[in-house]
Amino acid sequence: MLAQTTTTVETARWFRTYAARPQARVRLVCFPHAGGSAAAFRELSGRLPASVELTAVQYPGRQDRYGEPPAPDMDTLATTIAAAVEPLLDRPVAFFGHSLGATVAFETARRLSSRHRPALRHLFASARRAPAVPNQGPDIGRDDASVLAYVRGLGGTGAALLEDEDLREMALPVLRADFRLVDTYRYSPGAPLLCPITAVVGAEDDACRPDHARRWAECTAAGFDLRVLPGGHFYPETHPAELTELLTGTLGVPAA
């Protein structure tokens, strides 16, 4: 009983559900980008039909977890999330990870598979190079200006918020910690996932081109698809309708 209570507390600490749908057929667990928070998926949550409940991961070090230290490495982060997500596996579950979040989602899925949990229904790897393809990021050993320039180059509403000095000072430690996860991550080949993978890239995203994403096919034994949507690295912000249509169509649920 104590172990179950502890897990439930951890689940509440790690996940945010903006539109509870107890009767939903599918739960979509979303993993944010570097510097991002669970709130990045609030709008998408409202766009999805009643048959899909979106639950977003809240990494430590941001928003209501601002006082907590960031995860030291990818292994620690994915292992902790895999344990915390178990109570949410009470129905078919799909993972959607954007940018850094795609790698976190993939590594979390690998750990669930190793625990002999039911296979995920689907993994969506968004705006992220395949694990076997080296990812590029800013040189976090340089000054803050280089980190900020890299983030501004990717675009998105988060980059615009960094123009505010107070928000910038709060965001920089989180950005550096997340980019450190990218720098230190090393893909270890292993058993492929038993769920299909859909890689999604923005047509104007130079950070993740289709040829970077195709090798996600190596990570699954259950089928692979590559989709290119309009927009840049943050296409979910600029073209949410196209993303919603892709998600509902792939998951086989009626659109809202």
Side-chain angles (χ1 to χ4, degrees), residues 3-202:
Q4 183 176 3
T5 302
T6 302
T7 303
T8 303
V9 170
E10 283 297 286
T11 302
R13 192 159 69 98
W14 279 90
F15 298 95
R16 305 290 177 269
T17 301
Y18 296 108
R21 293 166 177 162
Q23 305 305 315
R25 290 164 46 191
V26 179
R27 175 172 282 120
L28 181 64
V29 179
C30 295
F31 296 71
H33 56 280
S37 68
F41 298 103
R42 186 188 295 272
E43 180 182 350
L44 179 60
S45 177
R47 285 179 168 272
L48 291 170
S51 54
V52 181
E53 181 181 83
L54 186 152
T55 298
V57 180
Q58 187 75 300
Y59 304 141
R62 60 215 75 198
Q63 290 192 330
D64 55 341
R65 300 188 68 185
Y66 181 74
E68 299 181 40
D73 52 64
M74 185 66 69
D75 179 65
T76 300
L77 181 61
T79 300
T80 305
I81 295 174
V85 79
E86 294 228 9
L88 302 179
L89 305 179
D90 57 342
R91 69 192 73 179
V93 171
F95 282 179
F96 177 92
H98 184 71
S99 197
L100 167 67
T103 304
V104 183
F106 169 66
E107 290 294 340
T108 301
R110 296 178 90 185
R111 284 153 178 77
L112 291 177
S113 297
S114 69
R115 295 182 184 193
H116 307 289
R117 298 295 307 186
L120 295 178
R121 180 166 178 175
H122 212 96
L123 171 65
F124 297 91
S126 169
R128 190 65 168 172
R129 302 180 182 206
V133 180
N135 277 286
Q136 296 178 335
D139 182 354
I140 59 174
R142 298 178 60 189
D143 57 18
D144 291 343
S146 63
V147 175
L148 294 172
Y150 178 83
V151 174
R152 291 187 183 108
L154 294 177
T157 57
L161 292 174
L162 293 176
E163 300 307 315
D164 181 282
E165 183 176 357
D166 292 336
L167 292 177
R168 185 166 62 247
E169 291 304 310
M170 292 176 63
L172 271 170
V174 174
L175 285 168
R176 284 188 171 278
D178 286 354
F179 287 135
R180 190 171 293 110
L181 291 179
V182 175
D183 286 349
T184 59
Y185 173 68
R186 299 293 180 270
Y187 169 60
S188 298
L193 297 182
L194 300 178
C195 69
I197 295 178
T198 297
V200 192
V201 300

